[in-house]
Amino acid sequence: MLSVRNLTKRYKRTAAVDDLSFDVADGQVLSLLGPNGAGKTTTFMALCGLVRPDAGTFEWNGTALGSQRGRTIALIPEQPELYAALTVWEHIVFAARSCNVSDGWQARANDMLERFDLAAKRDEVAASLSKGMKQKTLIVATLVTDPPVVLFDEPMVGLDPAGQKELRELIAGLRQRGKAIVVSTHMLDVAAALSERALILKAGRKLYDGTLAALSGEGGETIESVFLRITA
């Protein structure tokens, strides 16, 4: 289980994330929801160690995660930043060697390249790729390292329908393998398709942490209408 306690990050007088606590169990997908400026991206950056929080603790299966928590928690950002002169395959090799991945990763990588229709692009440099192909390359390079916790920031943006389908199936497979997954998205239909539980933020504070089904309650409201009401 990933446990986050009292996460706080301020930029001058503004609290981007304010005393946030939550857990994500093995084999669970948590949707991180909220309007623009809610603190979702800052939360992700702090979780994987790219931003230093002002307060908060992180644990994985009871073991404290310090500044090197990026070895446990992997982030796939919304905007894929790749090395322009490296090929698709070279990005994957770079990730595998940087994380000292044991033998066998090549087969996993080739399987994901096929699934994302990237096999024919494996020797093309990143500068020649579309945004969607860059995003797929980043997904494959990250997942080949087999991290126990994976953060997806707006994962469906930029992917074609086939890519979205493959990513949904890939996330389902990661869940079955016991990975703890957090998906940040503005798309409520994506959240409903990928997960049963949601964490809703506004102005850095937690408004809701529970099942998506409970959001609609007995009144029969749609998830969208409840979300808009509680974040208004």
Side-chain angles (χ1 to χ4, degrees):
M1 176 179 288
L2 173 68
S3 296
V4 180
R5 293 290 177 269
N6 310 113
L7 174 60
T8 300
K9 176 61 182 178
R10 294 182 177 275
Y11 295 99
K12 296 183 179 180
R13 296 184 179 181
T14 301
V17 183
D18 192 359
D19 196 32
L20 176 63
S21 297
F22 63 94
D23 298 319
V24 189
D26 298 0
Q28 184 177 61
V29 181
L30 171 68
S31 288
L32 184 62
L33 308 176
N36 291 334
K40 302 186 297 296
T41 297
T42 300
T43 297
F44 271 8
M45 298 287 278
L47 281 173
C48 68
L50 294 178
V51 164
R52 180 179 295 175
D54 296 305
T57 61
F58 312 88
E59 290 187 354
W60 169 249
N61 289 340
T63 301
L65 299 175
S67 60
Q68 298 298 313
R69 56 187 174 274
R71 296 180 180 274
T72 301
I73 305 173
L75 169 64
I76 300 176
E78 178 182 357
Q79 295 295 331
E81 298 292 342
L82 302 181
Y83 296 103
L86 292 186
T87 67
V88 170
W89 186 251
E90 286 169 342
H91 277 92
I92 298 169
V93 172
F94 178 77
R97 291 181 177 175
S98 298
C99 296
N100 296 317
V101 180
S102 59
D103 293 339
W105 60 265
Q106 295 94 336
R108 295 199 306 273
N110 283 317
D111 177 65
M112 285 188 284
L113 288 177
E114 290 288 348
R115 293 180 65 173
F116 282 113
D117 198 25
L118 273 179
K121 302 288 185 180
R122 59 178 288 152
D123 295 322
E124 294 193 17
V125 296
S128 69
L129 301 177
S130 67
K131 179 180 182 293
M133 290 179 181
K134 290 179 180 178
Q135 187 171 351
K136 294 175 183 178
T137 299
L138 188 58
I139 291 170
V140 175
T142 301
L143 296 184
V144 78
T145 66
D146 201 28
V149 183
V150 188
L151 313 177
F152 290 91
D153 193 359
E154 293 291 354
M156 299 300 176
V157 175
L159 294 182
D160 56 23
Q164 293 181 25
K165 176 179 179 293
E166 289 299 335
L167 183 56
R168 285 194 299 270
E169 294 178 355
L170 194 62
I171 290 175
L174 292 173
R175 180 179 187 176
Q176 291 175 354
R177 291 173 53 206
K179 306 298 183 182
I181 303 166
V182 186
V183 178
S184 174
T185 181
H186 287 100
M187 304 176 185
L188 298 180
D189 57 335
V190 170
L194 293 177
S195 66
E196 297 177 353
R197 179 172 157 236
L199 175 65
I200 300 178
L201 304 181
K202 182 179 181 182
R205 285 187 168 271
K206 179 168 63 177
L207 298 182
Y208 178 83
D209 185 355
T211 66
L212 283 165
L215 272 178
S216 58
E218 297 179 358
E221 276 189 277
T222 64
I223 293 175
E224 180 182 47
S225 63
V226 176
F227 173 83
L228 293 174
R229 174 166 52 79
I230 65 176
T231 58

